[in-house]
Amino acid sequence: MSLSTSITLASFYISCHAFPSALSQRSTTPTLASAEVIGTVSDPTWNRDSCTSIGVFGRELWTCRDSQSSSAFLSSSASWTDFNSSALPAIDSDGVLNMYGDNSDSVAYFPVQADECGPSPAGGCADGTRYAIWQNSRPMIAGSGSSSSAALYSWITRSHIASDLSNLDPTPATSLYRSDYAMGLASSQLPPVTLDSIPYGTYGWVQDSGHSYLYAQMSNNAIALARVPTAAVEDVSQYRYYTSTGWTNTPPIDGASEAVVPNAGTGGQGTFYYSQYFGAYVWIGIGAIGCNANFYVTTAPAPEGPWSTPALFYAGENGSNECGAYSQQAHPELTNNDGQGNYIYVTYTKVDGANVGYRTPLIKITWA
Ligand SMILES: *[C@@H]1O[C@H](CO)[C@@H](O)[C@H](O)[C@H]1NC(C)=O
Ligand SMILES: *[C@@H]1O[C@H](CO)[C@@H](O)[C@H](O)[C@H]1NC(C)=O
């Protein structure tokens, strides 16, 4: 089975910075100063749904869900965007932040496995159901210590859905995909590693100097949290699990109330990151699972909280489709200071009718 997708790299730089301990900080509620739609993130070849992004080697790597070209339909694809000489997104005179990169026509970027109705690159099954191998949050970068290579991890639930999008398996397992990037080499993915039944990492992540904190959405939609040394993401024995009485070695039962991290997001899609501007961890995302262009924010002094009550800070333009707006994300590395200053870029998927396809408005949010 071939699992490679070639996306070539041109320059080297890993976006990273030390995250200060913020335990003495209190939760704050960010306030909007201004919001401006500054462009559209767009790929000339692919019509792409629900994109996330992460900074890699001086460019931005975007991963998106369902991606259609004139000859292919994939459950995921990936692309690059460039920065300009001000280290800001290189938006052209037509207002387009151009995505590029070589996607296979026959293999999804997060390859659909044989027991997920692969080789269909969209996970389509003969009985009309589908394995929707769709990421909810951006890949996590784990620096190799080298200035020219890095591993990127993506946790994705093996969702088996009916044609009406209802879930056929209420507690799907999670696959861990790893993409290895090296200067001058094509990217590749390893076969998925199946983790615990609570899908840690699928809901987002933050990192401090040595640890990765991995958020999960349990089947009752509440958020749970695990942590692991960043160098040991693939070693399940090194995971520790947050409970209201402390970190434990034993994964909590799905839905356990002591595992819940209250207000760590709304339950809908979004992005976690650390902000020096607020001296806090931040989550930005959609108000709730569903269709709208509303953006909510919550902050916390530590990954495990306490998180402030998610607050609405921006309402984007709805698309005209019945479900015209969804998949809100924030893009810290798209800023010229990794999201540490007074502004952040956000996107969502906007759908205005079948002929137009998916749009990805790029919005600059400036905080008061
Ligand atoms: C870089 O792009 C930003 C928009 O992302 C634009 O405001 C700025 O003027 C550009 N800078 C240069 C030097 O082209
Ligand atoms: C967009 O649609 C949602 C869901 O119907 C609604 O709650 C929201 O107010 C709408 N936003 C705007 C800006 O009209």
Side-chain angles (χ1 to χ4, degrees):
M1 153 172 66
S2 165
L3 294 172
S4 66
T5 296
S6 91
I7 301 232
T8 33
L9 289 153
S11 59
F12 45 103
Y13 162 69
I14 293 186
S15 169
C16 66
H17 43 259
F19 291 90
S21 164
L23 289 171
S24 61
Q25 307 267 354
R26 62 183 183 83
S27 301
T28 52
T29 301
T31 312
L32 183 71
S34 67
E36 182 192 359
V37 179
I38 59 167
T40 304
V41 190
S42 173
D43 191 309
T45 308
W46 295 93
N47 182 12
R48 313 175 79 212
D49 188 19
S50 300
C51 298
T52 76
S53 78
I54 178 82
V56 183
F57 295 90
R59 292 188 294 169
E60 193 78 358
L61 177 73
W62 298 74
T63 62
C64 305
R65 293 182 177 180
D66 284 354
S67 300
Q68 288 163 266
S69 70
S70 56
S71 58
F73 176 39
L74 311 175
S75 57
S76 60
S77 68
S79 281
W80 295 106
T81 63
D82 289 334
F83 292 94
N84 66 17
S85 59
S86 307
L88 291 169
I91 297 168
D92 68 18
S93 54
D94 295 328
V96 173
L97 179 59
N98 186 49
M99 298 167 136
Y100 62 91
D102 298 329
N103 282 282
S104 163
D105 273 355
S106 55
V107 181
Y109 182 71
F110 300 114
V112 178
Q113 301 299 295
D115 60 355
E116 298 163 345
C117 295
S120 161
C125 307
D127 62 2
T129 65
R130 190 176 173 200
Y131 277 89
I133 308 303
W134 287 338
Q135 89 276 9
N136 288 331
S137 65
R138 63 205 182 116
M140 185 182 85
I141 196 161
S144 62
S146 152
S147 61
S148 60
S149 68
L152 294 164
Y153 291 103
S154 300
W155 290 262
I156 303 179
T157 46
R158 293 162 44 113
S159 298
H160 190 195
I161 59 173
S163 52
D164 65 0
L165 303 184
S166 62
N167 271 315
L168 298 170
D169 176 357
T171 54
T174 303
S175 295
L176 173 58
Y177 288 86
R178 170 176 157 169
S179 307
D180 285 293
Y181 291 90
M183 180 58 194
L185 293 181
S187 76
S188 62
Q189 295 82 50
L190 299 180
V193 177
T194 300
L195 291 181
D196 193 78
S197 65
I198 293 182
Y200 289 103
T202 60
Y203 193 70
W205 53 269
V206 292
Q207 292 171 316
D208 67 14
S209 45
H211 284 91
S212 293
Y213 292 83
L214 309 174
Y215 295 92
Q217 185 159 38
M218 297 191 282
S219 52
N220 63 2
N221 288 338
I223 307 306
L225 178 64
R227 79 172 180 213
V228 61
T230 298
V233 163
E234 293 172 56
D235 181 355
V236 175
S237 73
Q238 297 204 43
Y239 281 66
R240 297 294 175 267
Y241 304 91
Y242 175 78
T243 73
S244 50
T245 54
W247 295 91
T248 72
N249 291 359
T250 314
I253 292 164
D254 181 29
S257 57
E258 66 270 19
V260 174
V261 183
N263 292 328
T266 60
Q269 269 188 66
T271 305
F272 292 91
Y273 66 103
Y274 183 79
S275 163
Q276 277 170 17
Y277 186 72
F278 294 118
Y281 292 88
V282 177
W283 177 89
I284 289 174
I286 194 170
I289 300 169
C291 305
N292 62 79
N294 295 341
F295 285 80
Y296 279 69
V297 62
T298 169
T299 69
E304 59 270 40
W307 289 88
S308 58
T309 304
L312 176 71
F313 68 91
Y314 173 65
E317 195 183 317
N318 285 319
S320 61
N321 259 34
E322 189 182 342
C323 186
Y326 51 88
S327 288
Q328 275 78 337
Q329 294 285 335
H331 305 274
E333 291 83 18
L334 209 55
T335 71
N336 62 4
N337 53 23
D338 286 354
Q340 302 306 297
N342 72 338
Y343 75 103
I344 186 77
Y345 296 109
V346 301
T347 59
Y348 64 104
T349 296
K350 182 167 180 276
V351 193
D352 288 298
N355 298 334
V356 177
Y358 306 113
R359 284 221 170 102
T360 307
L362 179 62
I363 300 135
K364 181 179 178 180
I365 298 296
T366 306
W367 302 113

